[in-house]
Amino acid sequence: MAEQIRLTDIQKHFTVYERPDGKWALLRAAFSRKARRVQALDGVSFRIGEGEIVGCIGPNGAGKSTTVKVMSGILTPDAGECLILGRTPWKERIAHVSQIGVVFGQRSQLWWDVSVADSFALLKDVYAIPDGQFARRSAELIETLDIGGLLKTPARQLSLGQRMRCELAAALLHSPKILFLDEPTIGLDAVAKLTLRAFLKEENRRSGVTMLLTTHDMDDIEALCRRVIVIGRGRLLYDGAIAGLRGKYAAREGQDIDEIIAAMYRDMALES
Amino acid sequence: MGKGKGMGVAMDRTRKFSLFVCSARACIGLFRIRSIESLQYRAAALSSGSISVFWALIEITVYTVFYRYAAHREAATLTLAQMVSYIWLGQTLVPLHPLSIDDELLAKINSGDVGVELCRPLDLYFHWFAKSAAGRVGRFWWRALITLGIGLLMPGPLRLGAPVSAAGLIMFLVSVASTFLLSAAYGMLVTAVRLGITWGDGPTYMMMLVGGVLSGGYLPLPLWPDFMQGFLYVQPFAGYLDLPVRFYVGAIPPGRAAATIALQLGWTLLFVCAGRLVMRGRLRGVIIQGG
Ligand SMILES: Nc1ncnc2c1ncn2[C@@H]1O[C@H](COP(=O)(O)OP(=O)(O)OP(=O)(O)O)[C@@H](O)[C@H]1O
Ligand SMILES: [Mg+2]
């Protein structure tokens, strides 16, 4: 299994400005801002091989999205190394992003007032996809994601679940080698979640695309990933099979996975 | 070793070039799709078109009175008939130069979705350029058609006159085409400035307003004080509507036509370079909010 992604000791901090509170807060805010440093990533390292599906979990504010942004080449870390398909994402952004696909559950990458079909046609130009390949691939994605009826609709008129399916098709049209998904199932109904999982699994099996997805839904992880990465407070806390987490944190036999994860998060909070 | 490196550079160039071609094709496609799409808004065009007509008629009334009672009527740069045409064409061109940043881009900047745009292998500047320019031109057509049509149908003294000559008309059209690029480039510069600002629209609104005022859209430039005319001619925003309209009514001597167009294109180029520069700086610092 060839290695495709390697992160070594990635660090990233943000500076957040706080408004002073109390009397005259607004007035004082005009003159002084209190800066606070937030260490979003504090030395994250992992490797992912070709064709793997890796789930990334962690409490809110742990640094999952930040990790995905660094790997997508849209955020430059303070320190550390990141090699994806032999490239450093933020140094060769354009070459890098033409090889990967990214889906953010909470954000749209489609053109708002352009119909889905037109968006696909634009992406064909953007990624220079040859005619034959485009025809084949788009037909395939339209069928498996069942978006044939949405093609004439502008993205802004789609419902969340409809949009998500179109986003996925748009991210896979150019047959990327790697797909990053940041909370792809957020806000989806039960049927849509199941469809999405089945689709991702099938896509991985058929075209061997490597996937890394972040989620808060443990069912996503159980359905899709053999391997999980746990990030907490900007650090990598666990990397391995889900069974290992069960073994470490389950208080009793047959405990619900969400309870186990909650126990783990509580444990982490105590540790530091 | 040296040879290998040379080949690497050549590879890099071909890749850059093919990226450029793909980007350009996608941007042109986006422009086509989006401008056709916004052609649909005929009802909106009808109401905004009637606003243009309304303003034109008010302006014409005011300036007719003004011309009749002005002390130095013979000193005016334009005759009253030229002035009436100036107003009709000015009102036609004003909507091509909006006073705000493209809605979609502004929403993306405010919501922090700019970073997401970077996930596509596209040159963000030209991508946005195409997007905002297209949204503008699509909405412009209908409105322009209405204003021009009504202007031409008006009775005698209120009518939009014929162009001074065929050459004048051609220069007018060339100048309008280049003014379209000019205002799109300025809009992108303003958008790039807006990228780094998290606290509101004040500065960008001021920038847009300066452009609007200096374009002659509010007060026709020929009516500004004489000592300012030299400055008004060379400043970039004369290109928005004053220069094209002067071509139409024959207020620019043919000998100066080429220089005038060159001036417009020069400003466009300057705005493009400045916009790209600002944008590159801003993107380095831009942080994708939330997630
Ligand atoms: N643009 C930003 N400015 C300041 N701080 C930020 C910014 N983005 C993220 N952070 C901080 O970095 C930390 C990690 O954020 P991140 O979005 O990666 O969390 P996450 O693991 O995706 O959380 P969630 O599960 O809630 O989506 C948080 O403490 C957050 O407050
Ligand atoms: Mg997140």
Side-chain angles (χ1 to χ4, degrees):
Chain A
M1 189 169 58
E3 177 183 295
Q4 283 187 336
I5 301 175
R6 184 199 302 172
L7 268 69
T8 320
D9 206 17
I10 294 284
Q11 310 258 352
K12 176 76 196 176
H13 83 276
F14 294 106
T15 311
V16 287
Y17 295 99
E18 285 168 352
R19 239 168 234 255
D21 49 18
K23 227 176 172 187
W24 307 110
L26 270 176
L27 196 63
R28 274 193 292 141
F31 298 102
S32 75
R33 293 191 298 176
K34 216 163 75 195
R36 188 168 57 92
R37 189 186 157 95
V38 177
Q39 193 71 34
L41 294 180
D42 194 8
V44 170
S45 315
F46 57 81
R47 292 163 184 221
I48 296 176
E50 193 180 340
E52 272 192 277
I53 305 185
V54 178
C56 178
I57 59 172
N60 291 131
K64 303 179 297 294
S65 297
T66 309
T67 312
V68 171
K69 285 171 192 167
V70 166
M71 291 191 294
S72 317
I74 60 184
L75 196 63
T76 309
D78 305 333
E81 248 183 78
C82 173
L83 270 185
I84 294 177
L85 299 169
R87 289 197 191 88
T88 304
W90 58 91
K91 284 190 188 141
E92 295 173 79
R93 179 179 72 83
I94 291 201
H96 170 69
V97 293
S98 39
Q99 300 283 317
I100 63 165
V102 190
V103 174
F104 291 97
Q106 329 208 31
R107 292 154 197 279
S108 179
Q109 283 188 80
L110 297 165
W111 288 273
W112 272 8
D113 43 13
V114 173
S115 72
V116 176
D118 282 339
S119 282
F120 288 0
L122 285 173
L123 289 171
K124 174 182 178 295
D125 282 338
V126 170
Y127 293 100
I129 309 169
D131 290 335
Q133 192 187 327
F134 175 75
R136 222 175 318 118
R137 184 73 172 150
S138 60
E140 180 183 282
L141 288 168
I142 287 166
E143 205 209 304
T144 44
L145 285 164
D146 190 24
I147 50 175
L150 307 174
L151 293 177
K152 294 245 154 58
T153 320
R156 77 181 127 76
Q157 290 173 9
L158 297 171
S159 83
L160 186 62
Q162 294 171 335
R163 206 202 75 213
M164 221 36 232
R165 281 182 282 154
C166 296
E167 299 268 354
L168 260 181
L172 289 168
L173 214 49
H174 60 294
S175 310
K177 300 200 174 70
I178 302 177
L179 181 63
F180 296 123
L181 304 129
D182 192 13
E183 303 194 36
T185 52
I186 194 166
L188 298 189
D189 69 25
V191 178
K193 275 188 191 175
L194 291 176
T195 319
L196 190 103
R197 286 178 201 141
F199 170 78
L200 290 177
K201 197 154 198 158
E202 175 60 17
E203 186 61 26
N204 170 263
R205 191 191 61 78
R206 193 168 41 188
S207 61
V209 53
T210 309
M211 295 182 188
L212 182 127
L213 77 151
T214 78
T215 181
H216 289 295
D217 187 338
M218 290 312 295
D219 296 334
D220 290 345
I221 303 281
E222 295 210 298
L224 289 170
C225 317
R226 224 170 285 152
R227 178 178 164 200
V228 275
I229 284 177
V230 181
I231 293 183
R233 301 188 176 210
R235 297 209 179 154
L236 192 81
L237 299 175
Y238 180 85
D239 181 352
I242 236 190
L245 279 181
R246 238 182 236 286
K248 206 163 157 194
Y249 292 99
R252 56 189 158 75
E253 200 62 24
Q255 199 180 10
D256 182 59
I257 185 77
D258 276 324
E259 281 175 336
I260 296 172
I261 298 299
M264 176 180 73
Y265 289 172
R266 268 193 302 263
D267 197 47
M268 276 161 24
L270 287 180
E271 269 174 20
S272 48
Chain B
M1 182 79 183
K3 198 174 159 198
K5 199 164 182 189
M7 262 169 70
V9 170
M11 277 276 286
D12 206 42
R13 271 214 200 111
T14 31
R15 205 168 60 210
K16 280 220 173 98
F17 181 71
S18 68
L19 164 81
F20 175 76
V21 172
C22 296
S23 269
R25 287 217 337 233
C27 288
I28 292 168
L30 183 62
F31 182 81
R32 188 174 48 78
I33 291 167
R34 212 182 174 214
S35 53
I36 290 174
E37 209 269 340
S38 35
L39 275 179
Q40 293 170 22
Y41 302 119
R42 262 167 300 182
L46 201 64
S47 64
S48 57
S50 37
I51 294 176
S52 297
V53 170
F54 176 72
W55 276 119
L57 290 176
I58 290 190
E59 276 190 78
I60 290 171
T61 314
V62 170
Y63 296 133
T64 305
V65 172
F66 182 78
Y67 264 71
R68 184 154 310 147
Y69 297 106
H72 311 284
R73 205 178 320 161
E74 55 292 341
T77 7
L78 298 183
T79 66
L80 181 57
Q82 281 178 319
M83 199 55 183
V84 171
S85 297
Y86 187 109
I87 289 163
W88 280 114
L89 293 174
Q91 281 300 331
T92 307
L93 290 177
V94 158
L96 201 51
H97 315 292
L99 280 175
S100 58
I101 295 175
D102 185 86
D103 294 342
E104 182 178 353
L105 299 188
L106 191 60
K108 289 217 151 120
I109 291 171
N110 282 329
S111 68
D113 277 357
V114 175
V116 174
E117 299 265 291
L118 296 174
C119 293
R120 300 263 182 235
L122 273 176
D123 183 298
L124 195 63
Y125 181 87
F126 287 115
H127 181 191
W128 281 12
F129 191 103
K131 202 188 257 187
S132 54
R136 213 174 280 180
V137 79
R139 241 155 270 171
F140 168 73
W141 280 126
W142 284 115
R143 188 169 172 176
L145 223 61
I146 292 168
T147 318
L148 280 181
I150 293 186
L152 286 169
L153 290 175
M154 280 285 152
L158 297 179
R159 187 184 304 147
L160 162 61
V164 63
S165 61
L169 181 64
I170 289 169
M171 289 312 289
F172 167 73
L173 294 175
V174 170
S175 181
V176 167
S178 72
T179 198
F180 173 61
L181 294 178
L182 174 67
S183 79
Y186 186 63
M188 278 306 295
L189 174 61
V190 177
T191 309
V193 168
R194 182 65 178 76
L195 257 180
I197 299 176
T198 49
W199 39 269
D201 291 317
T204 48
Y205 184 71
M206 288 301 289
M207 285 177 76
M208 289 292 198
L209 195 64
V210 167
V213 169
L214 288 177
S215 72
Y218 298 105
L219 180 66
L221 297 189
L223 298 179
W224 289 46
D226 280 343
F227 72 92
M228 291 183 73
Q229 291 300 327
F231 160 73
L232 289 173
Y233 171 77
V234 293
Q235 53 94 18
F237 307 106
Y240 272 21
L241 60 86
D242 185 72
L243 298 180
V245 173
R246 280 178 199 249
F247 277 123
Y248 186 93
V249 300
I252 291 183
R256 247 163 101 184
T260 305
I261 298 283
L263 189 69
Q264 273 180 293
L265 292 176
W267 279 118
T268 307
L269 205 66
L270 199 78
F271 285 149
V272 169
C273 295
R276 285 186 70 89
L277 213 68
V278 173
M279 191 149 166
R280 193 185 311 163
R282 298 288 204 216
L283 282 182
R284 206 169 292 144
V286 90
I287 286 170
I288 311 89
Q289 307 287 333

